[in-house]
Amino acid sequence: MDLQPLLVEKVKDAVKQMYDVEVPSVEFQPTRKDFEGDITVVIFPMLRYVKGNPVEIGSKIGDYLQEHVEEISRYNVVKGFLNLVVSDVFYLNFFNNIKNEENYGFAETNSKASVMVEYSSPNTNKPLHLGHIRNNLLGYSVAEILKASGHKVYKTQIVNDRGIHICKSMLAWQRFGNGETPKSSGMKSDHLVGKYYVAFDKAYKAEIAQLKSEGKEKKEAEKTAPILLEAQAMLRQWEAGDEEVVKLWKMMNGWVYAGFDTTYKNLGVDFDKLYYESDTYLLGKDVVEDGLKKGVFFRKEDGSIWIDLSDEGLDEKIVLRADGTAVYMTQDIGTAIQRVTDFPDINGMVYTVGNEQDYHFKVLFLILKKLGYTWAEQLYHLSYGMVDLPSGKMKSREGTVVDADDLIQNMDKTAEEISKAQGKLEGYSKDEKKKLYRTIGLAALKYYILKVDPKKRILFNPEESVDFQGNTGPFIQYTYARIQSILRKADFDISTTREMTFDLHAKEKELLKQIQVFPETLQLAAENHSPALIANYTYDLAKEFNSFYQQVPVLPEVDQQKKQFRVQLSKKVGEVIQAAFKLLGIDVPERM
RNA sequence: GGUCGCGUAGCUCAGCUGGAUAGAGCAUCUGCCUUCUAAGCAGACGGUCGAAGGUUCGAAUCCUUCCGCGAUCACCA
């Protein structure tokens, strides 16, 4: 079915027969749209082995291929490029083979090693915001892509449910909350907790200002503000297991989880396993002791334990404090090992974490390798750029964030406005419409974020960022809906197989070529951990279909053979769009 | 200062394991709904690919230097 390996052989044969030399490899590329052809052989690299004029060599190889490979029907040579025209029969056969394949493009599960994908991992002191959305969408999508490419995948998150930031919200609630609950306030429960996080910061700033006016240095004031000291005391009480504090902690965390659940559900992401930092923050210490014995780490005079990474071009890095308490790195070492204990079949992990932690993960992976874990070779930091606003960075403390829930709601509203203006939804019930607006709004948001390279920063302008036209989620959904409309109106059994003896329209051929590269695009996306490749692929496919749709009649076609084929082709395009969008976590509507 | 990432059309982005005249969308302008959904299609306009060197038959892509933006270099997470 794949033509390329055959062509490699035949090109080699041709060169050997005519010039009596062996070329080690043959370079191909898809033929550019401006030229006639489907596959192009690049002649230039052969000039090292074959002396002569590239055009002449190309023509000779072309003659040979035309004669010896039945799939090649014509060729032309431009400069050093041999453009080959692949026969319609080849593409029609290809289509016949895959048209009824249900999971076309997807690899068999378990054909590759298992991977754990971590994403989201929020703090439990405030609601999720746009930055989390990027994280969630990326992590979820990469997990889906890995699954489709044959890996077994475990989705996980580590909930950062302890620490000083949590105590800040707790303390502020205690002090200013007057017993306010999600019920009594009517607020979404995670937003209520976030409100007190902001309240803490406000009170803290006020105290700093007060101290400064009393003549204290700024740094001194920041360190000694009473409310901060109290929060720190609360953290110590929590660690000591103080009943009162733990009770408050459980209650407020419960509120946050309830809120997160809603947001996750709205976003359409999920997890197979949750880890809580309150359970894992002590992990890793014994590993450090172990590594110390093995000589991976060393102890400084004050008793703290370090690793020397200067051979790798990095610094020394602390892994355990002098008083024996853990640092972030200690926990991460311990957690990684814990995961492999819990899921012994995993042979790799993906960490979806912002690029400000590039250095941390470089060090973490190095340490795990040095400790001798085989799976440490298969760790990947899915690093992504920040989401900035026109006004600058988002800061939860100061309340300058684009809230996740608000954003999703805004997308719904925009989708509703546009849909109403289009007026194509007669016959839909109120609930159906509402669901559809959500589907479209989310598609716009998700596609907008996933189509760009994760490494790049995103500048998000809430006023005008998310589009519904052009290279967007709704555009692709619209293409899908159009196809479904054709399928609904096709008043004959489209599954019957007919002889296909006609010539392909150029647009049909383009569509088949695009369908053909879906499996390799998926594999590439998996290797590169890149949903953007899937997004761009799907866009190209949709664009190609719309062009076809415009120029080639499907249902009005009188030739029954062609009509049958075009309906089947449209159906397949729809299926691929649906499958690809599923990898991005985006649903497709029957109508819109 | 060291390290890492980014810099492509007015804006948002593809292309980056080297290949033909650097591609899309938005915006601006022209056409196309008495054939299947105009959230569409067809076209016009728009570029010294941050700059300069180098490697190569060939560089947006690889190497070097420089410039700009960001992150990081905490016994914070």
Side-chain angles (χ1 to χ4, degrees):
Chain A
M1 200 179 81
D2 200 359
L3 196 52
Q4 203 154 308
L6 175 72
L7 285 176
V8 171
E9 285 315 304
K10 294 293 176 185
V11 170
K12 284 182 178 177
D13 288 353
V15 176
K16 188 160 190 213
Q17 204 170 86
M18 289 179 298
Y19 297 96
D20 196 33
V21 282
E22 306 258 359
V23 286
S25 63
V26 183
E27 194 179 317
F28 291 96
Q29 60 187 40
T31 305
R32 287 183 62 123
K33 285 257 162 68
D34 329 318
F35 303 95
E36 193 201 19
D38 303 301
I39 299 180
T40 295
V41 181
V42 188
I43 303 297
F44 296 109
M46 296 180 190
L47 296 177
R48 291 172 57 181
Y49 309 96
V50 185
K51 277 179 211 138
N53 173 335
V55 176
E56 196 181 303
I57 297 169
S59 306
K60 284 192 174 173
I61 296 174
D63 282 335
Y64 183 93
L65 292 177
Q66 196 170 354
E67 197 176 325
H68 291 84
V69 184
E70 62 174 341
E71 288 86 354
I72 301 301
S73 48
R74 287 193 300 287
Y75 76 89
N76 63 80
V77 181
V78 182
K79 294 184 194 168
F81 300 93
L82 168 59
N83 302 320
L84 303 172
V85 178
V86 177
S87 72
D88 290 355
V89 175
F90 171 77
Y91 286 111
L92 285 169
N93 282 342
F94 157 73
F95 185 66
N96 262 330
N97 284 330
I98 59 108
K99 74 179 177 198
N100 293 322
E101 206 176 301
E102 267 188 43
N103 291 311
Y104 170 66
F106 285 36
E108 293 278 317
T109 319
N110 278 334
S111 64
K112 293 181 184 169
S114 305
V115 206
M116 179 165 268
V117 179
E118 176 198 304
Y119 66 98
S120 199
S121 301
N123 291 331
T124 58
N125 62 336
K126 56 180 188 287
L128 302 175
H129 57 65
L130 182 52
H132 295 110
I133 287 187
R134 187 177 197 186
N135 181 307
N136 276 272
L137 298 181
L138 267 175
Y140 178 83
S141 177
V142 166
E144 291 300 308
I145 289 167
L146 288 173
K147 250 192 241 177
S149 77
H151 291 91
K152 183 167 185 200
V153 174
Y154 302 101
K155 288 177 274 191
T156 191
Q157 65 169 324
I158 178 145
V159 183
N160 298 310
D161 62 346
R162 53 147 245 129
I164 187 77
H165 49 281
I166 316 283
C167 295
K168 288 178 181 175
S169 296
M170 285 158 60
L171 181 62
W173 180 84
Q174 231 176 20
R175 207 179 267 193
F176 316 117
N178 296 318
E180 190 177 34
T181 65
K183 230 181 200 169
S184 75
S185 66
M187 270 178 98
K188 187 161 172 286
S189 51
D190 51 339
H191 288 240
L192 180 71
V193 176
K195 177 175 137 186
Y196 287 101
Y197 187 61
V198 174
F200 175 92
D201 199 59
K202 208 175 139 198
Y204 179 44
K205 288 226 166 92
E207 287 187 3
I208 292 172
Q210 175 67 27
L211 289 171
K212 279 202 319 208
S213 74
E214 288 165 12
K216 284 209 177 176
E217 287 292 313
K218 186 176 174 234
K219 275 197 174 161
E220 179 72 7
E222 282 170 358
K223 272 187 190 165
T224 56
I227 194 165
L228 179 72
L229 296 179
E230 207 173 320
Q232 286 168 343
M234 193 180 243
L235 179 60
R236 283 192 294 273
Q237 287 175 306
W238 180 89
E239 291 193 358
D242 181 281
E243 237 175 83
E244 193 94 341
V245 172
V246 168
K247 200 175 147 200
L248 176 62
W249 173 75
K250 279 190 177 159
M251 178 180 79
M252 288 184 74
N253 268 348
W255 293 348
V256 171
Y257 297 146
F260 283 179
D261 279 350
T262 307
T263 308
Y264 287 143
K265 198 159 163 259
N266 286 339
L267 264 185
V269 302
D270 55 23
F271 304 89
D272 300 308
K273 165 82 180 171
L274 300 185
Y275 285 94
Y276 294 90
E277 205 193 307
S278 52
D279 296 328
T280 63
Y281 79 107
L282 296 174
L283 291 176
K285 290 187 189 185
D286 47 343
V287 182
V288 169
E289 294 296 338
D290 232 40
L292 192 59
K293 279 179 206 148
K294 283 191 205 157
V296 176
F297 307 126
F298 67 94
R299 196 188 289 274
K300 284 199 176 176
E301 276 173 21
D302 66 355
S304 57
I305 299 177
W306 295 69
I307 185 163
D308 182 4
L309 296 170
S310 48
D311 289 350
E312 278 79 12
L314 305 172
D315 298 333
E316 292 180 346
K317 188 90 191 169
I318 190 161
V319 293
L320 200 65
R321 291 189 186 110
D323 62 5
T325 55
V327 292
Y328 181 37
M329 190 61 75
T330 327
Q331 280 182 54
D332 269 7
I333 294 168
T335 307
I337 294 164
Q338 183 65 46
R339 286 172 179 176
V340 180
T341 311
D342 294 346
F343 300 89
D345 63 322
I346 63 177
N347 189 35
M349 292 184 224
V350 175
Y351 290 86
T352 312
V353 183
N355 64 6
E356 73 272 15
Q357 294 197 35
D358 284 357
Y359 183 74
H360 171 76
F361 280 102
K362 212 187 232 176
V363 172
L364 174 66
F365 296 169
L366 257 174
I367 291 176
L368 290 167
K369 269 182 215 171
K370 281 179 181 271
L371 287 171
Y373 296 103
T374 49
W375 45 262
E377 303 296 328
Q378 299 296 325
L379 300 175
Y380 183 80
H381 176 203
L382 176 51
S383 163
Y384 61 91
M386 296 287 104
V387 184
D388 289 328
L389 301 176
S391 51
K393 253 188 139 166
M394 294 198 286
K395 287 185 184 139
S396 300
R397 278 187 309 251
E398 295 167 17
T400 57
V401 289
V402 173
D403 177 76
D405 299 310
D406 292 351
L407 184 57
I408 293 171
Q409 244 176 38
N410 274 333
M411 299 309 304
D412 282 8
K413 224 175 76 194
T414 311
E416 180 175 355
E417 279 160 15
I418 294 174
S419 288
K420 279 191 174 151
Q422 301 282 350
K424 295 176 186 169
L425 296 176
E426 68 280 10
Y428 262 37
S429 72
K430 218 174 176 182
D431 280 354
E432 282 171 324
K433 281 183 185 169
K434 218 176 144 189
K435 208 178 136 203
L436 180 66
Y437 301 150
R438 170 59 56 86
T439 304
I440 297 172
L442 267 184
L445 175 63
K446 289 182 176 184
Y447 189 88
Y448 175 81
I449 287 174
L450 288 175
K451 77 173 176 185
V452 318
D453 182 348
K455 285 200 294 281
K456 289 192 175 170
R457 286 194 298 160
I458 291 184
L459 183 78
F460 189 88
N461 186 339
E463 309 299 318
E464 55 185 61
S465 265
V466 181
D467 255 317
F468 285 67
Q469 278 165 12
N471 188 358
T472 67
F475 166 84
I476 293 165
Q477 287 180 320
Y478 177 72
T479 309
Y480 179 85
R482 264 183 160 177
I483 291 171
Q484 302 318 303
S485 176
I486 291 177
L487 297 181
R488 278 194 300 273
K489 286 181 179 162
D491 54 352
F492 55 93
D493 180 8
I494 63 163
S495 64
T496 54
T497 304
R498 288 169 186 265
E499 274 301 301
M500 298 199 283
T501 52
F502 48 89
D503 289 340
L504 283 173
H505 189 281
K507 292 291 172 189
E508 294 170 334
K509 201 175 184 181
E510 286 307 316
L511 275 175
L512 287 168
K513 282 202 257 183
Q514 187 66 13
I515 290 172
Q516 199 181 20
V517 297
F518 179 53
E520 50 195 273
T521 305
L522 172 53
Q523 290 305 322
L524 205 62
E527 282 163 29
N528 292 302
H529 305 270
S530 174
L533 291 177
I534 299 291
N536 288 320
Y537 167 83
T538 316
Y539 173 62
D540 287 338
L541 179 63
K543 209 160 49 126
E544 206 63 70
F545 182 84
N546 280 318
S547 182
F548 160 83
Y549 181 88
Q550 162 72 24
Q551 289 183 36
V552 184
V554 179
L555 295 178
E557 172 61 45
V558 284
D559 182 324
Q560 288 305 304
Q561 249 189 40
K562 286 188 184 176
K563 179 169 159 182
Q564 172 92 12
F565 168 69
R566 284 173 190 166
V567 173
Q568 287 178 339
L569 178 60
S570 301
K571 181 165 177 259
K572 197 72 208 174
V573 170
E575 285 169 9
V576 174
I577 287 176
Q578 184 173 32
F581 256 29
K582 192 158 176 275
L583 299 175
L584 303 179
I586 304 176
D587 288 331
V588 284
E590 297 301 302
R591 285 173 58 182
M592 68 185 276

